[in-house]
């Protein structure tokens, strides 16, 4: 195999990577780092300037004579469309190329209405949020959905909540209206990506656990999201607990932690006990009022979740377990019970430096994670170079 030199690697996409990372911020820097000639550097920079991915700044400090022209990544050179779908609430936004939210909207929506209803509503919302921005500004789309996703094709499988979506391939539907790269992943994976990049960028191993209508996990291992062979990694909601009393789960098995400790399960069991609860907010009110029966049920749910997480901690050895979702965020007793069981049941080495913490980004982690997911793809050197090639072929 022929040896690959720095110069052969330094395509326009690689030059953009160097500018984005700050490794090279002038043309002279690029020449020194890549080994490219001055004309070759100029050609690549011109391509990036033309695409709006880079801008020039002339306010750099001078060491004598004319100050050098500094090259900066242009976060305003495009937008990505993102949507974080939940079982009952959805957040839709547009972000710049640095992942900063420019405009967004959150609304209640039952995803069980199906893709024929939900996807057009999301796309209509994107159109409204775009305002007078031209379609050429759109660089990509990122979505998180509450279902197992075969990531390579954006196909929903074995849906926990979105039963009417099973087998739906989402990207082609979106591309009919927005002809750009479309990435779709599990909702908890995008939460994990968002939390990792936004709150724990220096940690390589993190597990995000969402306790809400359902229970699921997203795993960051070695600095990247762990999807598994088919995208099914992190489905901790369907690990059984020991004392679940034979509760039937949506997946067809019994006593899955999702079926006995999720927000849906808490509401079901409290109603069966005669409590007038319709939402998690009602359960929160009972907890704050010190209702003994409600507190006991919340603590039991926490211990069951902790039992499952203890096994996951032993297998994955994360640096931090982040607890998110409206149930985890609302109930201190549940989080305390999770911590108690994990530290007691996991191995001493796995828990020596383990932190179990609430989400720092909250619901915003979903939008952030969707943006990071699609931006890492569309701004990768390979994707940038492919876009440049397609643009040149169209002109020919």
């Amino acid at each position: 195999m022929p040896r690959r030199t720095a110069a052969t690697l330094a395509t326009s996409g690689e030059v953009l990577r160097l500018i984005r990372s700050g490794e090279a911020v002038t043309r002279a820097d690029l020449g020194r780092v890549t080994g490219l000639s001055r004309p070759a550097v100029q050609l690549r920079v011109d391509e990036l300037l033309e695409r709006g991915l880079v801008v020039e700044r002339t306010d750099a400090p001078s060491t004598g004579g004319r100050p050098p022209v500094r090259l900066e990544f242009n976060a305003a050179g495009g937008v990505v469309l993102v949507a974080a779908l939940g079982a009952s609430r959805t957040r839709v936004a547009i972000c710049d190329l640095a992942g900063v939210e420019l405009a967004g909207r959150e609304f209640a929506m039952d995803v069980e209405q199906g893709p024929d209803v939900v996807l057009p509503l999301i796309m209509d919302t994107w159109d409204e949020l775009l305002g007078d921005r031209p379609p050429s500004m759109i660089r990509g789309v990122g979505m998180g959905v509450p279902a197992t996703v075969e990531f390579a094709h954006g196909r929903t499988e074995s849906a926990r909540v979105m039963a009417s979506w099973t087998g739906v391939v989402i990207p082609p539907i979106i591309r009919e209206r927005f002809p750009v790269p479309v990435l779709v992943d599990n909702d908890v994976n995008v939460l994990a990506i968002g939390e990792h990049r936004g709150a724990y960028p220096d940690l390589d191993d993190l597990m995000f656990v969402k306790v809400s209508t359902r229970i699921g996990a997203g795993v960051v291992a070695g600095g990247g999201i762990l999807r598994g062979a088919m995208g099914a990694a992190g489905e901790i909601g369907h690990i059984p607990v020991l004392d679940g009393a034979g509760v039937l789960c949506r997946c067809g098995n019994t006593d899955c932690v999702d079926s006995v400790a999720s927000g849906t399960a808490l509401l079901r069991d409290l109603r069966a006990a005669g409590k007038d609860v319709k939402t998690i907010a009602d359960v929160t009110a009972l907890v704050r009022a010190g209702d003994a029966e409600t507190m006991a049920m919340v603590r039991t749910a926490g211990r069951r979740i902790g039992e499952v997480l203890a096994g996951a901690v032993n297998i994955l050895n994360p640096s931090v377990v982040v607890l998110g979702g409206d149930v985890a965020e609302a109930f201190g007793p549940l989080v305390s019970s999770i911590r108690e069981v994990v530290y007691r049941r996991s191995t001493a080495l796995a828990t020596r430096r383990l932190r179990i913490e609430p989400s720092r980004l909250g619901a915003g982690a979903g939008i952030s994670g969707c943006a990071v997911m699609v931006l890492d793809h569309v701004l990768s050197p390979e994707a940038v170079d492919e876009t440049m090639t397609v643009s040149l072929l169209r002109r020919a």
Side-chain angles (χ1 to χ4, degrees):
M1 182 176 178
R3 187 171 67 89
R4 302 176 74 187
T5 66
T8 60
L9 290 174
T11 61
S12 295
E14 181 65 15
V15 167
L16 178 64
R17 184 193 69 77
L18 292 169
I19 295 170
R20 285 183 70 203
S21 68
E23 293 177 62
V25 296
T26 66
R27 288 169 174 81
D29 289 342
L30 289 169
R32 184 177 63 255
V33 172
T34 65
L36 291 171
S37 66
R38 290 178 63 183
V41 168
Q42 187 62 49
L43 175 63
R44 286 154 176 76
V45 170
D46 285 347
E47 288 176 338
L48 296 172
L49 288 168
E50 185 179 353
R51 289 277 297 162
L53 293 172
V54 167
V55 291
E56 294 180 316
R57 304 291 186 201
T58 58
D59 53 355
S62 174
T63 57
R66 189 170 60 183
V69 175
R70 191 173 77 251
L71 300 168
E72 286 185 359
F73 173 62
N74 184 22
V79 296
V80 290
L81 313 179
V82 294
L85 279 67
S88 57
R89 297 199 66 80
T90 289
R91 299 190 77 217
V92 180
I94 60 171
C95 299
D96 69 13
L97 298 186
V100 176
E101 184 174 329
L102 302 175
R105 192 170 299 166
E106 181 174 350
F107 45 85
M109 181 174 63
D110 182 2
V111 293
E112 289 286 12
Q113 294 178 90
D116 292 342
V117 173
V118 173
L119 292 180
L121 176 58
I122 290 172
M123 290 188 283
D124 287 345
T125 305
W126 281 330
D127 268 332
E128 294 170 12
L129 294 175
L130 282 167
D132 58 1
R133 296 178 180 88
S136 59
M137 289 283 287
I138 304 170
R139 305 281 184 167
V141 173
M143 294 182 66
V145 296
T148 301
V149 175
E150 186 183 348
F151 180 75
H153 301 102
R155 179 187 292 112
T156 55
E157 301 284 355
S158 305
R160 300 194 305 272
V161 178
M162 301 160 59
S164 59
W165 294 62
T166 300
V168 175
V169 183
I170 296 175
I173 300 172
I174 302 295
R175 281 198 296 265
E176 286 183 7
R177 190 152 160 189
F178 300 102
V180 292
V182 179
L183 278 73
V184 181
D185 205 347
N186 169 268
D187 61 335
V188 194
N189 279 352
V190 299
L191 287 166
I193 293 169
E195 195 79 28
H196 175 241
R197 194 69 63 89
Y200 302 94
D202 297 328
L203 298 181
D204 286 339
D205 300 282
L206 170 150
M207 180 162 59
F208 188 101
V209 181
K210 182 181 179 182
V211 187
S212 186
T213 305
R214 300 292 171 186
I215 296 173
V219 178
V220 174
I225 196 71
L226 178 66
R227 295 187 174 93
M230 297 297 293
E235 287 287 349
I236 64 166
H238 298 290
I239 297 175
V241 298
L242 295 176
D243 60 347
V247 178
L248 182 66
C249 181
R250 288 169 66 102
C251 71
N253 293 321
T254 58
D255 294 340
C256 295
V257 69
D258 188 277
S259 68
V260 298
S262 64
T264 301
L266 271 174
L267 290 170
R268 178 198 65 217
D269 293 346
L270 285 168
R271 288 169 189 152
K275 305 293 183 182
D276 182 18
V277 289
K278 296 181 177 63
T279 66
I280 293 299
D282 297 331
V283 183
T284 303
L286 289 174
V287 169
R288 288 176 177 167
D291 184 85
E293 190 172 19
T294 302
M295 293 279 281
M297 287 189 179
V298 168
R299 288 195 178 99
T300 296
R303 284 193 291 270
R304 286 169 168 168
I305 296 169
E307 176 187 327
V308 168
L309 289 186
V313 166
N314 283 339
I315 294 170
L316 298 167
N317 188 203
S319 298
V320 61
V321 174
V322 180
L323 301 175
D326 52 0
V327 175
E329 292 164 4
F331 304 136
L334 180 134
V335 173
S336 298
S337 297
I338 291 174
R339 284 196 180 106
E340 173 196 343
V341 175
V342 169
Y343 285 119
R344 176 164 46 85
R345 297 284 295 275
S346 299
T347 65
L349 183 58
T351 56
R352 183 179 298 170
R353 297 180 180 176
L354 175 68
R355 289 180 283 161
I356 302 176
E357 301 183 351
S359 169
R360 296 181 186 178
L361 302 186
I367 289 297
S368 175
C370 287
V372 169
M373 174 177 67
V374 68
L375 286 170
D376 279 356
H377 173 75
V378 300
L379 295 178
S380 68
E382 298 79 10
V384 170
D385 291 335
E386 182 180 351
T387 302
M388 297 282 190
T389 301
V390 170
S391 179
L392 288 172
L393 290 174
R394 285 176 178 169
R395 292 180 188 175

